[in-house]
Amino acid sequence: MTTEHATVAEEEYLQTLFWLQEAKLPMTGANVARAMRLSAPTVHEMIGRLERDGYITRSSDKAISFTQSGLDHAEGVVRRHRLIERFLTDVLGIPWDEVHEEAERLEHAMSPVLEARMLAAIGDAKTCPHGHPIVGGARLEGVPLADVQEGAKVTILRFENEAEDLLHYLKEIGIEPGMKGSLTLSTPEEVTITAEGGAEISVTFSVAETVSVIADPSPPSRTALPEQLVLARERYGR
Ligand SMILES: [Zn+2]
Ligand SMILES: [Zn+2]
């Protein structure tokens, strides 16, 4: 049976499952635990609740699938999250490294009327300020910046991990989606991009693993690790 209204905690889990599916990672409890930095028993309990409430099904090998209701809820909360972030940056002028946590709070309490008005207010924008498509299915593949060879041209596509401490770091060093440049140095410790305007920007190699780019020439695509996706805070554990 499907309950009409998912709880805030359920919506957080559905959102994480959607991120996994979008990144083509297996939807399993273990990957949810990694992405949300929660313990296995905590995740196990909530996965059971999502199943009882009709949002997911589980196969014998523990793979999770959305039911239609679960997918609708997951898409809805992800869409509202990204829309709110874009509204906060473009309409309210809040820096893009400060909007993720605000969106985490607001995404659960938004009426369809407000959503429609916000959508009208953001004009032509199609992604959140970190590069994630607001409407599902519009996601470009991209490759991790860490995989790109020296000399390649790059366009920053998306930050796969929206943990705010990471976003503060990226903002501080001056990298953002849409930026173009070339990769001038790649070592096991750091990756340096020379932006079109001439600015040199270095990111640590582990952070470069979480930045998706379009590259020419491009390395082969590969799937991100769950730890490199969105990180939620412990407050959703219970
Ligand atoms: Zn976010
Ligand atoms: Zn975002």
Side-chain angles (χ1 to χ4, degrees), residues 55-68:
Y55 297 120
I56 59 167
T57 57
R58 272 184 296 180
S59 64
S60 51
D61 66 352
K62 301 198 174 158
I64 296 167
S65 303
F66 283 124
T67 62
Q68 189 58 51

Side-chain angles (χ1 to χ4, degrees), residues 96-98 130 145 159 161-176 189-193 200-211:
W96 57 254
D97 59 330
E98 294 175 19
H130 318 110
L145 177 61
F159 301 144
N161 186 315
E162 296 197 344
E164 277 205 359
D165 50 352
L166 193 52
L167 295 178
H168 294 326
Y169 167 78
L170 290 162
K171 172 106 173 152
E172 201 179 291
I173 62 171
I175 193 170
E176 64 180 58
E189 285 79 42
E190 64 176 29
V191 172
T192 302
I193 297 170
E200 284 201 354
I201 298 158
S202 294
V203 279
T204 64
F205 195 84
S206 64
V207 170
E209 294 264 359
T210 71
V211 175

